[in-house]
């Protein structure tokens, strides 16, 4: 072999269709072959990694992070250096961030800025756009960006106060453009009128504690908004991806829409599967303010079932941690002024394995699908990423299922003093991570290099 070769021996190689006990051969930046135990023993390789007793997974893809993102008077605390290091420690080898259109400005300009920020990345990265308006100028930029490898766009049905709300007429227009150009529209679904009604009611009654964040952002607001988007999809046949689905009812609505044949996809997040609004009643409840709000046990269970049944296809982290001191300073004790969002770029795999696989809610092939393969398919990274077949990028995460430990802000690598999963009992640990055939994490230690990560150009299949 002319290129550097690595043999990962004796692991349990997981794909979305099953598990193979065997060996994985990497040559240069790509997967060369998969085989049964010992299949490549006659080949001379540069390095051998013993994976016996461990899971060998396609590197995780995080479809939803907000790095360097300004919001509600602060900036999210992860950047492409500390954020991609934390992601890699969590087994993630590619992430997709958002480039937000400046108000009445050009999304292309912001994309160029984000590209500069990403030059320090330790892992591969890509970008979605966030659209704030449906003006002719904005709509004209979309086909150009789709051609350039940015085929996914997010918009909001809320945040009227910060000028982010897209009304139905605008959504119809922006459904049409990416669809024609070969793109997908991502929607943050919460009905703004319902939120505003409840918010004013709570504030008028002097309710300022964090739990009123959940009361003022009820599940009904999300459900109505998702149903509305499904109805709009019947007017314009276009692909839609519902971000951070959090309610039990939404699982049923999305399932029905899929049965009707609508091209709807949906994501939930680690925190909507494992945390409830009870967190908002705790002393530091303001740290758990995110939108949509944390829900109930019933919702957690329904989301796990939705994942198992396949109507919820992916897990994003929605990583948008905010410095704790900023939450306290900006909010002045009012839930509605707390900059929302939680850090989550690192714990996804450990939480999904411990809470999902070990508790019998999902199996390993499903874990691989929701954290990698399905994401790659939906967002146009497949077949380059999302699986360990010959010719794919050698993005590999080795997970040792044996260690048992307790998750805490004291032992994570995220740039924050807060872990939403503080105290969770964890089974297993990310041991080694390769991105395009290069070690990023080796036996638990960071060995990757800043600037190694490359932009992934994405194109969707029509
Ligand atoms: Zn988000």
């Amino acid at each position: 072999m002319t290129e550097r070769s690595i043999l990962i021996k004796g692991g349990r190689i997981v794909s979305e269709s099953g598990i193979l006990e065997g060996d994985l051969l990497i040559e240069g930046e790509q997967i060369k072959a998969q085989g049964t135990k010992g299949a490549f023993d006659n080949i001379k390789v540069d390095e051998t990694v013993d994976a016996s007793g461990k899971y060998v997974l396609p590197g995780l893809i995080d479809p939803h992070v907000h790095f360097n993102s300004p919001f509600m008077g602060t900036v999210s605390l992860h950047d492409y250096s500390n954020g991609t290091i934390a992601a890699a420690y969590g087994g993630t080898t590619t992430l997709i961030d958002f480039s937000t259109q400046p108000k009445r400005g050009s999304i292309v300009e912001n994309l160029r800025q984000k590209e500069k920020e990403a030059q320090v990345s330790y892992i591969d990265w890509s970008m979605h756009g966030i659209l704030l308006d449906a003006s002719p100028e904005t709509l004209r930029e979309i086909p150009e960006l789709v051609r350039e490898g940015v085929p996914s766009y997010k918009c909001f049905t809320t945040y009227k106060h910060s000028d982010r709300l897209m009304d139905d007429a605008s959504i119809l227009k922006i459904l049409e453009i990416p669809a024609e150009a070969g793109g997908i529209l991502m929607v943050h679904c919460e009905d703004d009128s319902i939120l505003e009604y409840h918010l004013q009611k709570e504030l008028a009654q002097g309710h300022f504690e964090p739990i009123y964040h959940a009361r003022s952002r009820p599940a009904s607001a999300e459900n109505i908004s998702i149903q509305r988007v499904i109805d709009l999809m019947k007017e314009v046949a276009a692909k839609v991806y519902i971000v951070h689905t959090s309610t039990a009812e939404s699982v049923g609505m999305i399932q029905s829409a899929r049965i009707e044949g609508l091209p709807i996809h949906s994501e939930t997040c680690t925190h909507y599967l494992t945390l409830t609004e009870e967190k908002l009643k705790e002393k530091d409840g303001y740290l758990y303010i995110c939108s949509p709000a944390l829900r109930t046990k019933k919702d957690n269970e329904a989301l796990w079932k939705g994942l198992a049944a396949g109507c919820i296809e992916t897990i994003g982290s929605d990583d948008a941690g905010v410095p704790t001191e900023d939450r306290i300073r900006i909010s002045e004790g009012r839930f509605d002024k707390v900059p929302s969002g939680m850090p989550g770029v690192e714990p996804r795999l450990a939480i999904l394995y411990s809470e999902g696989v070990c508790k019998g809610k999902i199996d390993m092939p499903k874990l691989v699908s929701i954290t990698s393969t399905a994401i790659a398919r939906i967002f146009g990274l497949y077949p380059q990423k999302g699986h360990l077949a010959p010719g794919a990028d050698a993005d590999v995460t080795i997970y040792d299922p044996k260690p048992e430990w307790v998750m805490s802000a004291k032992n994570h690598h995220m740039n924050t003093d807060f872990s939403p999963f503080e105290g969770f009992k964890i089974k297993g640990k990310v041991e080694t991570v390769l991105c395009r055939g290069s070690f990023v994490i080796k036996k638990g230690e960071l060995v990757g290099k800043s600037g190694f990560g490359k932009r992934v150009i994405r194109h969707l299949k029509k």
Side-chain angles (χ1 to χ4, degrees), residues 64-66 98 154 156 188 243-244 267 291 318-320:
H64 192 156
V65 304
H66 301 274
F98 290 89
K154 179 170 156 190
F156 303 86
H188 173 133
V243 290
H244 47 52
E267 161 196 278
S291 298
D318 200 1
D319 180 86

Side-chain angles (χ1 to χ4, degrees), residues 204-259:
Q205 293 178 69
H207 293 159
F208 302 126
E209 296 77 17
I211 185 60
Y212 293 104
H213 174 71
R215 298 287 172 268
S216 68
R217 299 185 92 97
S220 59
E222 184 175 341
N223 298 337
I224 285 174
S225 181
I226 291 177
Q227 188 56 53
R228 188 77 183 153
V229 169
I230 291 171
D231 291 340
L232 295 176
M233 288 175 75
K234 293 174 187 166
E235 301 301 318
V236 180
K239 280 186 203 164
V240 167
Y241 179 93
I242 309 287
V243 290
H244 47 52
T245 307
S246 75
T247 74
E249 295 80 5
S250 64
V251 176
M253 292 189 292
I254 291 164
Q255 178 81 311
S256 306
R258 288 169 68 87
I259 290 167

